Amino acid sequence: MTSGPIASRDYWESKFNADQLEQAIKDRQPEGAIAWQLISATQLVDDLLKKYPNHRKLQIWHDRFAAVQKQIGDNFDRSAEFKPGCL
């Protein structure tokens, strides 16, 4: 499978994570909260890519998660939380 939705809860959760990442950036949410969320989001996409290595959307999400993680870096505020109203 190389494109299109996958009948998997993990796929839909990854799609939600990708959408929410963009919203969190737009809303200027704290970097630490975003970084914490990206750890699990990246692991989920990595697991999906093991099953569907040629799926284009999964690869796009993975690359975006990695790019944002790289921008934030390893030295982020681990106690940061999302602002009220953010999913």
Side-chain angles (χ1 to χ4, degrees), residues 4-19 44 48 61:
I6 299 170
S8 163
R9 183 191 66 80
D10 291 344
Y11 172 84
W12 292 103
E13 186 175 338
S14 295
K15 181 180 183 342
F16 178 79
N17 289 338
D19 293 342
L44 191 61
L48 283 167
W61 295 337

Side-chain angles (χ1 to χ4, degrees), residues 6 8 11-12 15 22-23 27 35 38 47 49 61 65 72 77-79 83 86:
I6 299 170
S8 163
Y11 172 84
W12 292 103
K15 181 180 183 342
E22 299 308 322
Q23 188 63 45
D27 292 345
L38 283 174
D47 290 344
L49 281 169
W61 295 337
F65 294 166
I72 293 173
D77 180 5
R78 285 160 170 71
S79 64
K83 296 175 192 172
C86 179

Side-chain angles (χ1 to χ4, degrees), residues 10 17 26 31 36-37 42 46 50-51 60:
D10 291 344
N17 289 338
K26 181 180 173 186
E31 287 184 349
W36 271 120
Q37 182 62 30
T42 301
D46 285 345
K50 289 176 186 173
K51 294 179 188 175
I60 289 170

Side-chain angles (χ1 to χ4, degrees), residues 55-75:
H55 196 282
R56 181 166 162 69
K57 200 61 141 173
L58 292 175
Q59 192 61 50
I60 289 170
W61 295 337
H62 178 273
D63 293 346
R64 178 65 174 150
F65 294 166
V68 173
Q69 266 185 325
K70 185 176 180 180
Q71 286 179 326
I72 293 173
D74 294 333
N75 192 18

